[in-house]
Amino acid sequence: MNERKLEYLTQEQVNQFRRDGYLRLPNFLEPDEVEALLIRAKQLLDNFSVEDHPLTKFTTGDDNHVGDEYFLTSGDKIRFFFEEDAVDKDGKLNRPKQRAVNKIGHGLHEQDEVFRKVTLENEKMKSVVRDLKFHHDPVALQSMVICKQPHIGGEVPEHNDSTFLYTNPPSALGFWIPLEKCTPENGALSFLPGSHLTAPIAKRFVRMPGGGTGFEQLIPPEEAPKNPEGKYIMEACMPGDLVIIHGSVLHKSERNRSPHTRFAYTFHMIELPPYAEYDSKNWLQPTPETPFPHILDTPNPTVVPIGA
């Protein structure tokens, strides 16, 4: 039986992704596509109402993840989450709303036509998924515009995505598209190459039985291997690049210390049964009205498993 020919990626790029756990594809989106996403993101910021907003703050540390209903029911909606430093001790914004939002999420890929076109109706995206052979029949979830606001855009510490979108076995894959130039000064992503091969998923982010969210250990802390050591590689990106992120690869970003925003659009894919289980403990849940949408018209007949 003949091997299916690659449609978009080169074999060298496929090999690089499997080796490093991430892959940057320059100029994946056309300039007009990037401009449409950025304009739409800014329109959403201009048009949302602060008056009836619960002022949910989004934090990126292990100890203080958002757990209220506004967050937990956002999987099929377009909602707005503020930077911690943008809300004062009295719960009031200390700057214009457009410069206070950490991210817009989590159902952009379904609820907004501009983002849907790039995510679910993008033939190049489908070609990449087929070429990677990472998933049999992936579905999309958790789409966001991350604003990374000037001076207050928070640091995102070392983490992997399968901790927050857990399946058994792990199957998360991130797709990250900068809408503005990403530099060392405004919080470009950094990766620990190859860490997906040695760092198992030791904990998962879950809905807690008593309400809110927290972490559940999958490997007892005393038995969990230490995170692999090595040199992080910063991936400065241009608007329209695509960075593909294995769910187990360790990555992070620094605080935005520049006077410029660093808008990026990101979403994720996972497997569902019979290939992997996505259970009711996960913070983001599909609804009967909005099940997770499939990416491919026809599933990949074969996949190549990679990861610890």
Side-chain angles (χ1 to χ4, degrees):
M1 186 170 154
N2 292 330
E3 184 84 1
R4 186 183 58 80
K5 289 184 178 180
L6 294 172
E7 300 176 26
Y8 185 89
L9 301 177
T10 66
Q11 189 59 51
E12 182 181 8
Q13 288 172 322
V14 173
N15 294 343
Q16 182 181 342
F17 170 74
R18 292 172 182 169
R19 181 189 71 232
D20 294 343
Y22 71 96
L23 176 68
R24 181 173 70 90
L25 301 176
N27 305 310
F28 182 76
L29 292 187
E30 299 296 329
D32 61 330
E33 294 176 302
V34 177
E35 184 180 19
L37 292 173
L38 187 58
I39 288 173
R40 183 60 182 140
K42 292 181 177 181
Q43 287 175 342
L44 291 170
L45 290 175
D46 286 340
N47 294 338
F48 87 97
S49 170
V50 174
E51 281 65 39
D52 55 358
H53 189 284
L55 287 184
T56 300
K57 291 174 286 186
F58 183 75
T59 61
T60 53
D62 269 9
D63 300 328
N64 195 23
H65 264 277
V66 172
D68 65 21
E69 282 301 303
Y70 186 81
F71 173 73
L72 291 173
T73 57
S74 64
D76 59 349
K77 299 175 180 66
I78 298 175
R79 290 187 170 168
F80 301 83
F81 302 88
F82 292 102
E83 289 281 1
E84 282 186 277
D85 291 347
V87 183
D88 66 22
K89 58 181 173 43
D90 298 318
K92 303 294 184 184
L93 290 183
N94 57 25
R95 64 200 65 219
K97 63 179 182 177
Q98 293 89 342
R99 286 298 175 103
V101 170
N102 167 286
K103 67 176 181 177
I104 309 169
H106 290 92
L108 287 164
H109 60 293
E110 290 207 273
Q111 302 300 331
D112 188 274
E113 181 181 352
V114 180
F115 289 94
R116 181 184 181 90
K117 183 177 179 182
V118 165
T119 313
L120 301 178
E121 299 169 0
N122 186 338
E123 291 304 318
K124 288 195 294 187
M125 193 73 71
K126 295 179 183 182
S127 292
V128 167
V129 171
R130 285 190 287 264
D131 288 348
L132 283 177
K133 294 185 179 178
F134 186 81
H135 290 127
H136 286 280
D137 191 14
V139 296
L141 72 169
Q142 191 181 275
S143 55
M144 306 174 276
V145 168
I146 301 172
C147 302
K148 203 79 165 180
Q149 299 287 357
H151 304 301
I152 64 167
E155 172 192 5
V156 179
E158 178 181 79
H159 70 286
N160 49 36
D161 291 346
S162 279
T163 295
F164 298 95
L165 293 171
Y166 182 75
T167 63
N168 185 18
S171 66
L173 190 64
F175 293 77
W176 194 89
I177 302 171
L179 305 182
E180 298 177 302
K181 189 176 181 178
C182 298
T183 69
E185 293 74 35
N186 70 4
L189 295 183
S190 295
F191 297 87
L192 187 57
S195 53
H196 63 304
L197 300 174
T198 56
I201 306 303
K203 63 184 178 181
R204 57 178 296 199
F205 186 59
V206 298
R207 293 180 178 231
M208 301 301 286
T213 55
F215 288 92
E216 175 186 286
Q217 292 294 141
L218 300 172
I219 303 174
E222 64 276 8
E223 297 177 18
K226 291 183 179 179
N227 279 347
E229 297 181 356
K231 182 181 179 181
Y232 267 84
I233 304 296
M234 180 171 287
E235 285 290 341
C237 297
M238 296 299 290
D241 291 354
L242 169 64
V243 184
I244 306 168
I245 305 171
H246 188 289
S248 295
V249 78
L250 293 167
H251 57 289
K252 61 184 180 178
S253 68
E254 304 302 324
R255 187 181 183 92
N256 183 358
R257 303 186 187 281
S258 81
H260 308 290
T261 54
R262 192 225 64 186
F263 277 55
Y265 173 57
T266 182
F267 67 96
H268 296 79
M269 298 183 195
I270 58 167
E271 293 271 39
L272 291 182
Y275 308 109
E277 179 190 13
Y278 185 89
D279 65 25
S280 60
K281 291 183 182 180
N282 278 298
W283 76 267
L284 192 159
Q285 291 294 316
T287 67
E289 298 77 26
T290 54
F292 296 147
H294 290 262
I295 297 292
L296 299 178
D297 303 317
T298 304
N300 268 332
T302 59
V303 299
V304 179
I306 49 172

